[in-house]
Amino acid sequence: MAEESEWQEKWAESGIFNPEPDQREKYLITVPWPYTSGPLHVGHGRTYTLADIVGRYKRLRGFNVLFPMGFHESGTPIGSISEKIKRGDEKTISLYRKYIAEYENEENVEAIMNSFKEPLNVANYFSSKITKDFKTLGYAIDWRRTFRSIDPVYSKFVQWQFRKLGSMNLLKQGSHQVLYSIEDGNAVGEDDIEDGDTDKVSIEKFVMVLFKKNDEDVYLAAASLRPETIFAVTNLWINPDSRYVRIRVDDKIIITSEKASQKILYQFENSELKDAVESDEILNSQYTVPATGVKVKVYRNTRINPEQATGVVYSVPGHSVMDLSYIDELGIGLEGRSIINLENKKSSASEYLAKYKDPSRANSEMYKDEFYSGVMASDLPLIGGKSVKEAREIMQNELIKRGFAYEFYETSRPARTRDGKPVIVSIMHDQWFINYSNEEWKDKVRENVSKMNFYPEFYRKNMFDVIDWIEERACARKRGLGTPFPQDGKWVIESLSDSTIYPAFYTFSHLINDKEPENLDDNFFDYITDNGTEEVNPGMKELSQEARKEFKYWYGVDQRITSAPHMSNHLVFYLMNHMAMFKGRYQPKGISIIGTVISKGAKISKSKGNAISLLDVVKQYGADLFRLYVALVAEVDSSLDWNETEIENVKSVYGTIKNVFSLILEKGESKTDDYTELFKIKFKHHLKNYFEKMDSFQIRAGYVEIIHETLKDLNQLGNLGMDTASAVKEIWELWIQVLSCAIPHLSETIWKQMGKSGFVSISEIRAEVISEGDRIRVENFDYVLSLSEDIRAIQNVTKIKPSLIKITVGNESLKEDARKILQGDLNVSTKSIIGNVKKFRGKLNLDVNEMGAITQYKEILEKLFLAGVAVEEYAGDGNKKVPLPGRPVIDLEGEKIG
RNA sequence: GCGGAGGUUGCCGAGCUAGGUCAAAGGCGGCAGACUCAAGAUCUGCUUCCGUAGGGGUUCGCCGGUUCGAAUCCGGCCCUCCGCACCA
């Protein structure tokens, strides 16, 4: 697209998208900065393109618009990509070979791949390529202000932020459970886990209950999700084929499977592995059920998975179909006891087994039913009569309080890292958190949320819910790229937490990007963000003042355009941190949530391999076409289906626009008649609607109005044999201005060809006024068109090809009568119309001057039906049908056909 | 389960926050006609059923309710999608 890149170069050279503070009202629009682990796909393209369209629209309407962009490079994924490439992981290498090939000639691919063994090279490579992609799409971005989340100057800003959060007592340290790979020696995220993106692994809380061995101070540790069933334990299970060990936890010796011991050691700070224990030794003793004192035996059960939880299970045949079926299978002959009621009846595992046949299915149905609607038997101590939900909580706390149990965490499913290492739950004992549960803080944010703009509106409610729900949030990790945690150098600031108030940095980044990070102390940032201090390093004085001026002018993000998954993480941090850092000033003003992009009806996901490269699309179709597709095909809050048929349609719309303009370039001369005037008025009307729709963020509706409706009018004009080129000539300037937000490249070309100087991209649009006279003209025209539909309907039913269409319109007295009837006054001169007026009350038109309208646009009807048109006013002769206001009598004279 | 969104005529998708002008926009697909040697593209008309005059019948997930009147309001039910945390 040579023409497109030419304009992109001209925009860059002229610096028209690099705004400075001035007298105009400002508009700051931001999007989430992309994570630079690979090329962008069409989903990114949609969000960023919509932001660009909105930015350009605001500029057109006279705002001083800033649209900045940066790159997110902190976090763990880039590091693990490098790690995998270094290790020779084939899946990753082939994926990245494909990515690189999108940008490079074949012979360069290997060298670049090789450089990816260093994480920074991955980040640098993709951030520079994505920058190019954005330029290729024609985005009006101020590139002077770009920065990356791992830039040293930005790190200074983040550290300032965290020192301030610390001084406000919003940080705390505590223990925290994470998914962890022992072999890798670090925490693992969704991306590190095999199938982690499709089959999510979560952390489940178990209770590890200690059953005291009869003759020793040793405990068998059985983990359960259902501590409330402790009163119905009949026995314990171990797997005789597996090895068991003794572990010291605090001052107790507990027994678990050897496979489980690692989990214990990683979850309990004060723990150590002692020695192996023979299963016979376990089986020979009796054990005491805590809280009840009942003695139970341990049985062999090869179905018990030694890797699951502790490898020891307590058996509750009354409430676990699995336990019941094991007991039957092994012929142990223990009776289950029911201690939970469902609908005032004892819940029974054997009934569930009978109903569902499959024990595992029956078990989960029973679990669900009991959890949501079960009530504990009334004779139980402590939890009698309570709901299962409550009882579970109470029992867990009680058992732990009395030293009979520990909390224990397990993965929701067996999980491995992508290279096959086991994933367990580990506890970090000194994890740093941002304490978002502070109610005072939340209240201030809630207040701002109630004032902000949300599109779609229901996300406001959604955000209130998220604010209610958010508690402590881990904000530091021990690996990955990022800013060192200022309070504790062992940690790196977690990558979502380092990207909360970063849009503020755009306001002055171009002034400090090349400065020595050491000079950017806390005073500096406090000063420029207008945060209370007036003291700055004397050497930085001038710079600080300038930066402060930019911040004060620009800040307060007017619109953040992003996607729904950010609601419960990034966006809530974004709002909370802005409130904490800027004392209620410079707060975000608007959030718009863009729907997802799907492909041929299916969700796009990395694992399916159906991600569509944005670069490929732009190479194939060009920037304007992609932009028009985004604007026109789906409303911003619904999902956008990327498919070839639709883009062909958009292509033809684009072609039509192009043709219309090449036509007026050739021969459009300004001349005005009734019809060009009418077209102009209609266009003004579309323009007004376009403004309204764009202002309420209905981008598609806005462009449908200004493109499809205008083309429709034009088409209509053409069908009536009118000179369309002259009509367009009347409105072309306004039209190209609004089109330029969606298709800026073509628009610039046309702007220039039409002899305009400067760029349409930075032009301002003048508002057009629609007068009363204009309104009546359009009304008359629409009336005649609707009349033509009635004529067509009659023609279809009667099969008469008319040579003469006789129209009899109602007179003043009929109109007066109709008005009276509609008001309920039946005392009128022509009583015969009462029935029809009531019947057709929705279809009458009392305002239009029918005779005038038909006379004015008579030739339209003549052209449409190739017939003569005669119009007369109703004379009052009782024999004929009587017209109603807006519903004249139509008689067709002519040949019957068909 | 909790929270959110949604179920519209062959398909996609408006409308439903202010109930009547909604048989319900627009696009796609289908049919017919014009143009063409022909196809394609383009244009015109039709595309729920009935009807020799602009009309009538039956429709907007299902069942009820409010109302003179409901796709639109209320209640219940069924189904689909999304989020439920330390991950970008």
Side-chain angles (χ1 to χ4, degrees):
Chain A
M1 310 292 149
E3 186 179 307
E4 292 187 343
S5 59
E6 254 172 58
W7 284 113
Q8 287 152 13
E9 276 162 35
K10 281 183 191 152
W11 291 332
E13 280 163 22
S14 60
I16 56 172
F17 301 133
N18 299 346
E20 299 292 338
D22 63 23
Q23 295 312 304
R24 286 176 293 169
E25 196 177 333
K26 65 91 186 179
Y27 193 84
L28 173 57
I29 189 163
T30 69
V31 293
W33 46 9
Y35 190 68
T36 53
S37 61
L40 300 177
H41 56 76
V42 285
H44 297 109
R46 184 186 192 194
T47 304
Y48 300 146
T49 298
L50 286 168
D52 189 58
I53 290 174
V54 170
R56 284 173 177 271
Y57 170 72
K58 288 289 176 184
R59 191 174 288 112
L60 197 65
R61 297 302 301 277
F63 288 87
N64 190 14
V65 175
L66 172 57
F67 181 25
M69 186 69 79
F71 295 98
H72 199 201
E73 302 184 354
S74 35
T76 52
I78 288 177
S80 52
I81 288 158
S82 290
E83 196 53 42
K84 282 174 199 162
I85 290 173
K86 214 188 282 177
R87 211 170 48 217
D89 179 84
E90 277 178 34
K91 234 171 118 186
T92 308
I93 289 176
S94 81
L95 183 67
Y96 275 79
R97 191 165 280 143
K98 199 182 109 205
Y99 286 166
I100 298 167
E102 284 183 22
Y103 296 105
E104 305 290 342
N105 294 327
E106 190 51 44
E107 63 267 26
N108 299 330
V109 172
E110 278 319 305
I112 292 166
M113 178 70 80
N114 215 32
S115 76
F116 280 6
K117 289 174 183 164
E118 166 56 42
L120 273 179
N121 290 338
V122 177
N124 289 342
Y125 182 79
F126 286 110
S127 62
S128 78
K129 293 302 172 187
I130 293 170
T131 303
K132 252 180 80 183
D133 291 353
F134 284 156
K135 290 179 179 170
T136 307
L137 279 152
Y139 294 160
I141 292 171
D142 182 350
W143 286 108
R144 299 170 306 162
R145 298 171 190 262
T146 194
F147 63 96
R148 305 164 333 151
S149 63
I150 56 170
D151 285 344
V153 284
Y154 180 67
S155 280
K156 285 287 175 184
F157 179 72
V158 174
Q159 289 184 328
W160 163 73
Q161 176 189 356
F162 273 79
R163 273 191 288 268
K164 281 194 90 76
L165 291 175
S167 72
M168 288 182 272
N169 269 327
L170 299 175
L171 299 179
K172 65 180 227 183
Q173 243 179 330
S175 69
H176 177 61
Q177 62 274 23
V178 291
L179 295 173
Y180 193 85
S181 160
I182 294 171
E183 287 180 53
D184 290 339
N186 56 38
V188 292
E190 191 177 293
D191 283 347
D192 305 312
I193 296 170
E194 186 73 40
D195 299 325
D197 50 345
T198 49
D199 186 5
K200 231 186 136 171
V201 180
S202 55
I203 296 174
E204 281 185 344
K205 185 155 96 179
F206 282 68
V207 182
M208 184 169 81
V209 182
L210 306 183
F211 293 78
K212 186 175 180 303
K213 199 174 175 190
N214 238 2
D215 43 2
E216 268 178 78
D217 204 16
V218 171
Y219 298 85
L220 203 48
S224 171
L225 288 164
R226 306 192 58 182
E228 79 281 8
T229 61
I230 195 83
F231 295 106
V233 171
T234 59
N235 63 294
L236 294 156
W237 304 115
I238 62 166
N239 185 324
D241 302 335
S242 142
R243 308 200 323 178
Y244 283 78
V245 293
R246 266 185 277 259
I247 308 167
R248 183 185 60 77
V249 174
D250 297 337
D251 55 354
K252 291 197 176 73
I253 303 294
I254 66 168
I255 296 173
T256 70
S257 72
E258 187 183 24
K259 305 247 194 216
S261 62
Q262 289 291 313
K263 293 183 257 190
I264 306 286
L265 297 175
Y266 275 86
Q267 289 187 23
F268 294 91
E269 206 172 9
N270 185 11
S271 62
E272 68 178 311
L273 185 61
K274 303 297 272 192
D275 53 358
V277 48
E278 293 304 317
S279 54
D280 281 348
E281 192 189 329
I282 299 173
L283 290 162
N284 283 339
S285 298
Q286 286 214 319
Y287 294 82
T288 307
V289 179
T292 67
V294 173
K295 311 271 189 213
V296 294
K297 286 180 70 177
V298 182
Y299 290 92
R300 303 161 179 275
N301 184 345
T302 51
R303 303 282 187 83
I304 298 300
N305 180 354
E307 290 188 45
Q308 168 69 17
T310 57
V312 181
V313 174
Y314 68 71
S315 162
V316 188
H319 294 288
S320 159
V321 183
M322 298 315 286
D323 289 335
L324 178 70
S325 58
Y326 294 150
I327 286 173
D328 287 350
E329 212 174 289
L330 300 171
I332 295 171
L334 286 169
E335 251 337 277
R337 176 187 169 204
S338 175
I339 56 166
I340 295 172
N341 293 328
L342 281 173
E343 290 166 0
N344 296 319
K345 233 179 81 208
K346 282 190 179 238
S347 165
S348 152
S350 47
E351 276 174 28
Y352 274 90
L353 185 57
K355 184 170 170 198
Y356 291 99
K357 308 290 188 276
D358 173 36
S360 133
R361 169 85 199 283
N363 201 46
S364 65
E365 290 297 331
M366 184 172 189
Y367 179 95
K368 249 199 322 211
D369 289 350
E370 290 187 344
F371 180 69
Y372 294 115
S373 40
V375 177
M376 303 307 298
S378 55
D379 58 343
L380 295 171
L382 213 61
I383 55 172
K386 304 259 193 222
S387 75
V388 167
K389 238 186 268 189
E390 288 174 288
R392 189 166 295 177
E393 198 64 31
I394 295 169
M395 270 325 286
Q396 180 190 320
N397 293 338
E398 191 62 21
L399 287 169
I400 291 170
K401 200 174 94 193
R402 295 218 248 146
F404 292 143
Y406 291 102
E407 271 182 23
F408 176 78
Y409 298 93
E410 180 59 291
T411 55
S412 57
R413 65 165 172 90
R416 306 199 164 272
T417 63
R418 291 201 190 269
D419 46 311
K421 296 164 185 162
V423 171
I424 63 154
V425 178
S426 170
I427 300 209
M428 312 289 252
H429 296 280
D430 52 356
Q431 175 69 48
W432 284 94
F433 296 90
I434 296 179
N435 185 9
Y436 288 114
S437 48
N438 182 319
E439 276 301 318
E440 210 179 312
W441 187 9
K442 284 186 175 187
D443 272 342
K444 287 183 192 155
V445 175
R446 288 185 184 108
E447 197 190 320
N448 187 44
V449 167
S450 67
K451 286 190 297 205
M452 289 172 64
N453 293 315
F454 278 84
Y455 185 84
E457 174 61 33
F458 68 78
Y459 281 109
R460 185 194 312 276
K461 163 99 174 57
N462 207 309
M463 183 50 80
F464 281 126
D465 293 344
V466 172
I467 292 169
D468 290 345
W469 156 88
I470 193 168
E471 295 173 354
E472 290 77 24
R473 170 82 191 201
C475 64
R477 348 181 66 201
K478 291 208 165 155
R479 63 178 187 133
L481 300 173
T483 298
F485 200 73
Q487 282 85 344
D488 185 344
K490 295 197 301 285
W491 295 85
V492 171
I493 292 173
E494 186 269 329
S495 57
L496 285 181
S497 301
D498 78 7
S499 304
T500 57
I501 57 165
Y502 71 98
F505 201 76
Y506 289 127
T507 64
F508 47 75
S509 57
H510 57 309
L511 302 173
I512 62 169
N513 267 341
D514 59 346
K515 297 291 177 288
E516 284 302 316
E518 296 80 69
N519 293 334
L520 308 175
D521 56 19
D522 286 0
N523 264 353
F524 175 78
F525 289 114
D526 273 326
Y527 176 80
I528 60 180
T529 59
D530 192 20
N531 225 343
T533 185
E534 296 298 323
E535 286 169 40
V536 279
N537 177 344
M540 303 282 285
K541 198 166 175 201
E542 212 169 299
L543 177 71
S544 313
Q545 281 169 351
E546 207 182 329
R548 185 184 206 174
K549 184 180 146 212
E550 291 257 2
F551 175 84
K552 288 179 78 167
Y553 176 77
W554 290 112
Y555 214 52
V557 176
D558 293 280
Q559 191 65 254
R560 183 151 183 90
I561 297 186
T562 177
S563 56
H566 286 149
M567 284 297 293
S568 60
N569 43 61
H570 166 70
L571 284 173
V572 69
F573 306 158
Y574 167 76
L575 295 177
M576 296 289 286
N577 280 279
H578 272 88
M579 188 52 71
M581 293 301 297
F582 302 117
K583 301 176 180 166
R585 298 181 297 161
Y586 306 107
Q587 294 301 303
K589 295 185 180 70
I591 288 176
S592 296
I593 304 289
I594 307 297
T596 49
V597 175
I598 55 178
S599 173
K600 298 184 184 91
K603 200 171 148 185
I604 294 175
S605 81
K606 276 183 216 155
S607 57
K608 271 192 201 142
N610 64 346
I612 298 150
S613 150
L614 183 59
L615 184 70
D616 275 357
V617 167
V618 176
K619 267 188 199 156
Q620 194 176 346
Y621 299 103
D624 275 356
L625 205 52
F626 176 75
R627 298 172 62 107
L628 192 59
Y629 185 92
V630 167
L632 222 41
V633 168
E635 200 47 88
V636 296
D637 56 337
S638 60
S639 51
L640 171 71
D641 194 349
W642 178 257
N643 66 67
E644 314 299 319
T645 334
E646 283 296 340
I647 197 148
E648 286 307 317
N649 297 334
V650 174
K651 212 174 187 171
S652 89
V653 172
Y654 180 80
T656 308
I657 294 171
K658 219 169 160 175
N659 286 343
V660 166
F661 278 98
S662 62
L663 213 63
I664 67 166
L665 281 165
E666 276 168 33
K667 60 168 195 173
E669 36 188 284
S670 270
K671 72 165 186 222
T672 48
D673 58 27
D674 260 9
Y675 293 97
T676 53
E677 196 55 27
L678 187 75
F679 176 77
K680 192 170 159 186
I681 297 164
K682 285 193 144 191
F683 182 81
K684 285 190 206 167
H685 185 70
H686 298 322
L687 191 63
K688 183 171 156 269
N689 288 340
Y690 166 83
F691 287 160
E692 281 171 14
K693 305 233 156 99
M694 292 299 282
D695 288 336
S696 61
F697 212 70
Q698 295 166 268
I699 310 301
R700 173 173 182 261
Y703 276 94
V704 165
E705 175 90 28
I706 207 68
I707 294 176
H708 285 308
E709 293 297 316
T710 304
L711 287 176
K712 205 165 119 188
D713 291 347
L714 206 58
N715 212 346
Q716 215 169 49
L717 218 55
N719 290 338
L720 297 172
M722 304 301 162
D723 179 0
T724 54
S726 302
V728 178
K729 192 97 182 190
E730 292 289 306
I731 55 104
W732 81 268
E733 194 174 326
L734 294 170
W735 206 23
I736 210 69
Q737 280 182 297
V738 295
L739 290 176
S740 77
C741 305
I743 46 171
H745 307 91
L746 178 64
S747 302
E748 291 288 6
T749 303
I750 293 170
W751 188 257
K752 190 178 160 200
Q753 286 169 340
M754 293 294 288
K756 286 284 196 177
S757 61
F759 297 98
V760 65
S761 294
I762 50 166
S763 68
E764 276 188 39
I765 198 159
R766 56 177 205 277
E768 293 280 319
V769 193
I770 301 170
S771 71
E772 182 59 17
D774 290 348
R775 201 185 57 75
I776 289 171
R777 273 177 120 132
V778 172
E779 194 176 66
N780 285 352
F781 183 73
D782 288 343
Y783 167 78
V784 171
L785 283 184
S786 80
L787 195 56
S788 79
E789 279 167 30
D790 281 348
I791 296 169
R792 175 124 25 230
I794 296 168
Q795 184 187 309
N796 286 344
V797 182
T798 59
K799 311 268 192 296
I800 292 170
K801 172 102 187 82
S803 53
L804 179 66
I805 301 166
K806 283 170 68 177
I807 302 168
T808 311
V809 300
N811 55 26
E812 266 314 305
S813 126
L814 283 171
K815 200 177 264 190
E816 191 45 44
D817 283 354
R819 191 167 285 133
K820 277 171 141 181
I821 294 165
L822 289 176
Q823 284 163 2
D825 177 2
L826 301 184
N827 187 19
V828 295
S829 49
T830 315
K831 301 243 186 231
S832 63
I833 65 169
I834 294 178
N836 279 345
V837 168
K838 287 196 160 175
K839 188 168 166 192
F840 298 120
R841 65 190 180 287
K843 294 187 174 175
L844 301 184
N845 182 347
L846 293 162
D847 302 321
V848 70
N849 172 359
E850 298 179 76
M851 183 59 94
I854 297 170
T855 314
Q856 185 179 9
Y857 295 112
K858 198 166 106 181
E859 61 178 312
I860 292 178
L861 296 176
E862 291 174 342
K863 280 192 167 144
L864 284 175
F865 294 97
L866 301 168
V869 172
V871 54
E872 59 178 27
E873 191 165 272
Y874 179 66
D877 47 346
N879 294 331
K880 291 183 74 177
K881 290 180 66 182
V882 184
L884 302 177
R887 270 179 85 80
V889 170
I890 300 163
D891 291 293
L892 302 187
E893 289 179 10
E895 301 256 324
K896 209 170 154 178
I897 49 160

